[in-house]
Amino acid sequence: MTQNEDLRENMLRQVLEHLSQQSENQYLKILTSLAEVATTNGHKLLSISSNYDAQMKSLLRIVRIFCHVFRIGPSSPSNGIDMGYNGNKTPRSQVFKPLELLWHSLDEWLVLIATELMKNKKDSTDITSILLKQKGQDQDGTSIPAFEPPGPGSYENLSTGTGESKPDALGGKQEASADCQDVISMTANRLSAVIQAFYMCCSCQMPPGMTSPRFIEFVCKHDEVLKCFVNRNPKIIFDHFHFLLECPELMSRFMHIIKAQPFKDRCEWFYEHLHSGQPDSDMVHRPVNENDILLVHRDSIFRSSCEVVSKANCAKLKQGIAVRFHGEEGMGQGVVREWFDILSNEIVNPDYALFTQSADGTTFQPNSNSYVNPDHLNYFRFAGQILGLALNHRQLVNIYFTRSFYKHILGIPVNYQDVASIDPEYAKNLQWILDNDISDLGLELTFSVETDVFGAMEEVPLKPGGGSILVTQNNKAEYVQLVTELRMTRAIQPQINAFLQGFHMFIPPSLIQLFDEYELELLLSGMPEIDVNDWIKNTEYTSGYEREDPVIQWFWEVVEDITAEERVLLLQFVTGSSRVPHGGFANIMGGSGLQNFTIAAVPYTPNLLPTSSTCINMLKLPEYPSKEILKDRLLVALHCGSYGYTMA
């Protein structure tokens, strides 16, 4: 039944769940049978001759059903005491015994591949010959039995489908050597699917939220081979390595590979796992229950929405949102979009004192003085819920935050460059301290600063005993970082915590860390629109450039040609902000007030990149000899140097 694709998995689960509840013996018999079928399918999957898609889907389907039945059994454990992989010889643990054969085969496969990788010699091709022979037999229609992997260093027992062992079946080491690089490509997906099954079986024996120690040990043991799999085919991460999302320790090992994957692929993975625990999408749609409708008042939309969302069932909100304005009949996605749009504006409404505008007037930062509103922490939690709900349901919000606040949401440490969003002058002072020798300047700075604490100026130590520790050339970097953390994090820590409490009700931290702060802004607020004509109209030229110069004309042609994302990067590269203020480019702010976008001439030398001075919104554009070179150098600068500040 489990291998009959015509039977829906959900229906099969329900049948086996019902049968399992009849008696303990019936329960154990069903589980043992499922484990045996899974083991047989797993060995078929490990045979290169088998149909990968069919066997992979069959194995994972059976294992999902097995894990489901195991969890709902008559004596399903609520803690780690009766776990099969913790060494207990209970009847429950015995149902996993058939699967141990499959896990043993998996382990030997990975050890074998690791050995081949370590040899790194042209004559280390026995496994290649055998695998390619298996593949050839499959194409000829020969039936091949389940794969029995060899012990490390021995190939004699490897099944070739004929019962014979012929390591050099293809003849000649040179020919096999040419295909040695394909071994991992041929096996990685199959082994990764079995790894996924192994993880599922380990996890179903652990309490919720805990990763199996056995599985962590397994990943650490085969770390190099798994990274090799992923490096050669990153799609494996999204298809099979789901365990990374549930175990920060393991995720950190692969994060650099994950972050290198296309934004679109990570978005798809994000939403696939965000919605993985929700009811099957093929279930019959049911009308919205009247009790689940969020009934809000237009004239008090912020407070009434806060009240109804706080009382609503979180699980149901994840599944869907239905909003109705009091006294109005309209419902549907249009009303939901309007609700999010209005709430976006209300969240940053100065009357609530929750957020304050950044220095450039286009983004918002939590207000350190929000305590003037007695309900401010409840409101921050509500704001987090709204943004989490919007992201969950792919609804864009009409609000943009400072880069530092997106970092707080992602758990990324802030740095002194982030201070520029709230105090550009102070950020320049910190930069100056880092760039200059302060040994003999007599600044007399200590690790203690005066700051606003609940409306009164107080001396706050940056670390214990900070008031008596002088800032020196040797410790100035630590001073700058601690000052940054005080102004950007510690000063608004309660607000951040309250916001994240609401946000994480709908968006798990493990999932959101797939993105950086710029990508998070795109997910929440979408790509900002940039009017290139308005940009051209409000640009000034200096140091020898004029509007009619060929380089300037090439520049604007390139701006027209590049993608919307790259235009945003260009704006951020020059101004430090990805947002155009209300009223357009005429209202862009600099360090000392209104400051137009400016392009300055720089003498050309080969390979010279454009640079910028963000405090005065100036692009320093070399006098490139052609449009093609200009475009190439500009794109390199945008994609490799869009973040970070230095002194001009």
Side-chain angles (χ1 to χ4, degrees), residues 318-331:
K318 289 179 182 178
Q319 294 174 25
I321 305 174
V323 178
R324 179 185 295 153
F325 289 103
H326 193 270
E328 302 177 20
E329 294 299 321
M331 276 184 59

Side-chain angles (χ1 to χ4, degrees), residues 119-391:
K119 286 181 181 178
N120 196 26
K121 295 177 181 178
K122 289 186 177 181
D123 60 352
S124 300
T125 56
D126 290 339
I127 185 173
T128 307
S129 301
I130 296 167
L131 293 177
L132 292 176
K133 178 171 173 56
Q134 279 194 339
K135 187 175 182 181
Q137 288 172 336
D138 178 46
Q139 292 170 346
D140 293 336
T142 304
S143 174
I144 298 181
F147 168 64
E148 296 275 58
S154 171
Y155 299 99
E156 283 72 25
N157 296 323
L158 185 61
S159 170
T160 64
T162 61
E164 300 177 6
S165 174
K166 297 183 179 180
D168 294 315
L170 293 185
K173 295 179 180 179
Q174 186 173 0
E175 181 181 354
S177 175
D179 292 295
C180 187
Q181 298 178 18
D182 294 331
V183 175
I184 291 179
S185 299
M186 295 165 59
T187 59
N189 278 318
R190 295 172 179 273
L191 293 170
S192 297
V194 179
I195 290 170
Q196 183 182 355
F198 179 46
Y199 171 70
M200 292 160 64
C201 288
C202 288
S203 297
C204 76
Q205 300 172 78
M206 300 301 296
M210 286 185 62
T211 303
S212 163
R214 180 183 183 182
F215 188 78
I216 292 177
E217 182 181 351
F218 168 85
V219 174
C220 294
K221 175 182 177 181
H222 300 295
D223 182 73
E224 291 304 317
V225 175
L226 300 187
K227 284 180 178 176
C228 188
F229 284 0
V230 170
N231 273 314
R232 295 195 181 202
N233 181 14
K235 196 170 184 293
I236 284 175
I237 290 180
F238 306 117
D239 289 343
H240 299 300
F241 285 8
H242 303 169
F243 58 84
L244 296 178
L245 295 175
E246 300 172 24
C247 182
E249 178 186 345
L250 300 181
M251 173 71 97
S252 63
R253 291 171 172 265
F254 294 83
M255 185 58 78
H256 64 289
I257 303 174
I258 295 172
K259 287 287 185 72
Q261 303 315 306
F263 177 57
K264 180 181 178 182
D265 292 347
R266 282 178 284 134
C267 285
E268 291 176 358
W269 201 39
F270 171 81
Y271 280 110
E272 175 189 346
H273 291 281
L274 183 64
H275 299 144
S276 61
Q278 296 183 14
D280 294 340
S281 57
D282 59 349
M283 292 184 67
V284 178
H285 176 72
R286 296 181 178 87
V288 177
N289 189 307
E290 191 70 24
N291 295 328
D292 297 332
I293 298 174
L294 302 180
L295 184 62
V296 298
H297 295 261
R298 280 191 181 273
D299 56 356
S300 59
I301 189 169
F302 186 86
R303 290 186 175 86
S304 64
S305 296
C306 182
E307 182 178 347
V308 295
V309 168
S310 65
K311 294 178 180 179
N313 183 294
C314 184
K316 290 184 177 180
L317 288 178
K318 289 179 182 178
Q319 294 174 25
I321 305 174
V323 178
R324 179 185 295 153
F325 289 103
H326 193 270
E328 302 177 20
E329 294 299 321
M331 276 184 59
Q333 285 304 298
V335 177
V336 171
R337 282 194 295 270
E338 182 184 8
W339 181 64
F340 276 116
D341 189 60
I342 297 174
L343 276 180
S344 300
N345 295 322
E346 286 297 293
I347 284 171
V348 295
N349 186 331
D351 291 345
Y352 298 109
L354 300 179
F355 291 89
T356 183
Q357 278 190 326
S358 61
D360 65 12
T362 64
T363 56
F364 290 86
Q365 168 85 358
N367 184 357
S368 59
N369 295 318
S370 64
Y371 56 82
V372 298
N373 185 331
D375 292 322
H376 72 125
L377 294 183
N378 287 332
Y379 287 159
F380 269 108
R381 180 174 176 271
F382 169 64
Q385 288 177 300
I386 293 303
L387 264 71
L389 267 176
L391 185 55

Side-chain angles (χ1 to χ4, degrees), residues 11-28:
M11 295 293 293
L12 190 54
R13 283 187 185 187
Q14 293 180 29
V15 171
L16 294 178
E17 180 178 338
H18 172 74
L19 293 174
S20 298
Q21 299 293 341
Q22 303 306 307
S23 70
E24 180 76 11
N25 288 337
Q26 181 91 320
Y27 168 71
L28 296 175

Side-chain angles (χ1 to χ4, degrees), residues 38 76 81 239 371 407 410 415 435 470 489 532 549:
S76 183
I81 297 174
D239 289 343
Y371 56 82
K407 286 184 176 181
L410 296 169
N415 58 49
D435 290 344
L470 287 174
T489 305
V532 176
D549 289 340

Side-chain angles (χ1 to χ4, degrees), residues 558-622:
V558 168
V559 173
E560 291 276 9
D561 291 342
I562 60 179
T563 66
E565 290 86 352
E566 288 165 339
R567 289 192 199 112
V568 171
L569 285 177
L570 173 60
L571 180 63
Q572 185 180 50
F573 180 72
V574 179
T575 69
S577 172
S578 58
R579 314 250 67 83
V580 179
H582 181 70
F585 281 87
N587 294 321
I588 287 183
M589 300 294 291
S592 304
L594 289 174
Q595 175 66 62
N596 273 355
F597 189 93
T598 304
I599 303 178
V602 175
Y604 171 74
T605 57
N607 297 320
L608 184 64
L609 295 175
T611 57
S612 65
S613 294
T614 57
C615 57
I616 55 175
N617 299 333
M618 179 180 287
L619 173 64
K620 299 175 182 179
L621 185 67

